[in-house]
Amino acid sequence: MPRSRPLAERFWAKVTKAGPDECWLWTGCRTASGYGRIGRGREGGGSGWTHRVSYELSKGQIPKGMLVCHACDRPPCVNPAHLWLGTIADNLADAARKHRVNPGERNGNARLTSGQVLEIRRLIAAGRPIDSICGEFQIQREHFHKIRLRKLWRHI
């Protein structure tokens, strides 16, 4: 039975390297969202996300619960210089800082409109009870407080 090539050899063979500060693009299998995948073979079983494999090959083990994030925001990029470790919160904050998240009604998960949020804030200022507002707009108290404190819908 033929032995498969080592993961590092198979991995780097499918990377188009540019300059050290430019994106190095994965040319192998990619998901619909552009992230690369590679079979780990005997060295880890299953398949792995290529940006994570690049990080592991170049910088070492990824601590449990940590993400490998892209400084360049390009899913097929595997340049180790563009990859950094972060938590889910770090990655979301990075996305918000770079305006990669859809605020308000443009977010597919939004349950309120801008007009409703403005009305909630008007009712808060008028002193209407929290439970009354939550009931009318069918929102949880936690959501109410995030709107009141401008942790949500801060763009309006």
Side-chain angles (χ1 to χ4, degrees):
M1 179 165 140
R3 294 182 62 107
S4 64
R5 295 183 303 159
L7 177 61
E9 185 180 324
R10 291 183 295 111
F11 178 83
W12 294 116
K14 294 194 180 257
V15 174
T16 300
K17 290 183 180 180
D21 297 327
E22 296 178 46
C23 290
W24 297 359
L25 301 180
W26 175 253
T27 62
C29 176
R30 291 189 203 175
T31 65
S33 57
Y35 288 94
R37 299 288 289 170
I38 187 171
R40 290 184 174 270
R42 295 181 184 173
E43 298 173 44
S47 65
W49 296 105
T50 54
H51 60 290
R52 291 180 67 86
V53 171
S54 175
Y55 188 95
E56 291 168 347
L57 291 173
S58 304
K59 298 181 180 184
Q61 188 174 2
I62 300 166
K64 186 175 175 88
M66 296 299 281
L67 304 177
V68 175
C69 306
H70 287 88
C72 60
D73 299 326
R74 292 187 69 189
C77 179
V78 295
N79 183 341
H82 292 190
L83 304 175
W84 55 279
L85 288 180
T87 63
I88 292 171
D90 294 333
N91 199 32
L92 291 173
D94 181 58
R97 210 173 21 257
K98 294 174 179 175
H99 305 288
R100 287 189 289 117
V101 290
N102 292 323
E105 295 170 71
R106 293 186 310 178
N107 185 316
N109 294 320
R111 297 170 119 189
L112 299 172
T113 65
S114 297
Q116 288 173 312
V117 171
L118 292 173
E119 179 64 9
I120 289 169
R121 289 193 180 133
R122 188 190 69 72
L123 293 171
I124 291 168
R128 185 149 166 211
I130 294 171
D131 290 335
S132 172
I133 295 172
C134 290
E136 181 179 337
F137 293 92
Q138 298 181 354
I139 60 174
Q140 300 292 320
R141 289 176 74 91
E142 179 182 354
H143 199 120
F144 168 88
H145 289 298
K146 287 181 178 179
I147 290 170
R148 183 178 59 83
L149 297 170
R150 296 185 183 274
K151 290 185 176 183
L152 291 176
W153 295 87
R154 72 183 108 208
H155 65 287
I156 58 168

